Amino acid sequence: MKYIVFALFALTMPLANYLIGNIGTECIPNGPCLIPVGFGLMAPSGVLIIGLALVLRDWLQEMTNWKWAAFAVIIGGVLSFLTSNPFLALASAVSFVTAEMLDLAVYTPLRKAGKHIAVLASGIVGAFADSLLFVYLAFGSFEFSLGTTVGKLYATLAVSLYLYYKIKKVKSYAG
């Protein structure tokens, strides 16, 4: 299973970059393809994949260790450079590495407080960092940063709630 999670995590960056350049409800010439993420906000279409990536990183660390996650980021970056616009791949790699390292720094010490807390806190930090950096580096403005952050937080919130209820259910059986 760890190899599947590793592969899925490594593929998130090139897949997100592909979506940004090719699929969306609106594609801006020489810019991103966008999707609505709610609250009247739009975001580059790869946003949901990167939201999932933040959660996959946490899962991979649980199954292995942070070194596996770091290696998957490197593999994802290389694949992104081979399959995406190099400018987009560079913006993606810089923001992804930064966000993943911040996610790691928050997730690791909070794991003992509860995985649902660690996933939520690290996902919020990672989503904000990745959104601000990527949107600015890739498109030269912060115009889609808020929408990008919101889109990424959907996966984080879903997994955090799942873990919370799973823990609550286990405690109710034990208690």
Side-chain angles (χ1 to χ4, degrees), residues 60-129:
L60 184 60
Q61 181 180 343
E62 283 299 318
M63 297 173 75
T64 59
N65 58 47
W66 67 268
K67 293 175 188 175
W68 279 68
F71 187 57
V73 170
I74 293 167
I75 297 295
V78 170
L79 290 172
S80 193
F81 273 101
L82 295 173
T83 60
S84 305
N85 170 315
F87 187 72
L88 188 62
L90 179 60
S92 184
V94 168
S95 62
F96 200 72
V97 167
T98 302
E100 291 302 326
M101 293 304 109
L102 288 170
D103 183 286
L104 176 70
V106 172
Y107 181 81
T108 301
L110 288 178
R111 284 174 24 193
K112 291 179 182 158
K115 290 180 187 170
H116 62 292
I117 294 169
V119 165
L120 182 61
S122 66
I124 290 169
V125 169
F128 273 102

Side-chain angles (χ1 to χ4, degrees), residues 10-96:
L11 290 172
T12 57
M13 192 185 324
L15 178 58
N17 286 342
Y18 173 79
L19 292 173
I20 290 168
N22 297 287
I23 297 173
T25 57
E26 174 186 346
C27 292
I28 298 171
N30 299 317
C33 290
L34 305 169
I35 60 169
V37 292
F39 312 103
L41 299 170
M42 299 291 281
S45 57
V47 67
L48 300 176
I49 299 298
I50 297 303
L52 178 63
L54 295 170
V55 173
L56 285 172
R57 196 220 54 80
D58 296 340
W59 190 14
L60 184 60
Q61 181 180 343
E62 283 299 318
M63 297 173 75
T64 59
N65 58 47
W66 67 268
K67 293 175 188 175
W68 279 68
F71 187 57
V73 170
I74 293 167
I75 297 295
V78 170
L79 290 172
S80 193
F81 273 101
L82 295 173
T83 60
S84 305
N85 170 315
F87 187 72
L88 188 62
L90 179 60
S92 184
V94 168
S95 62
F96 200 72

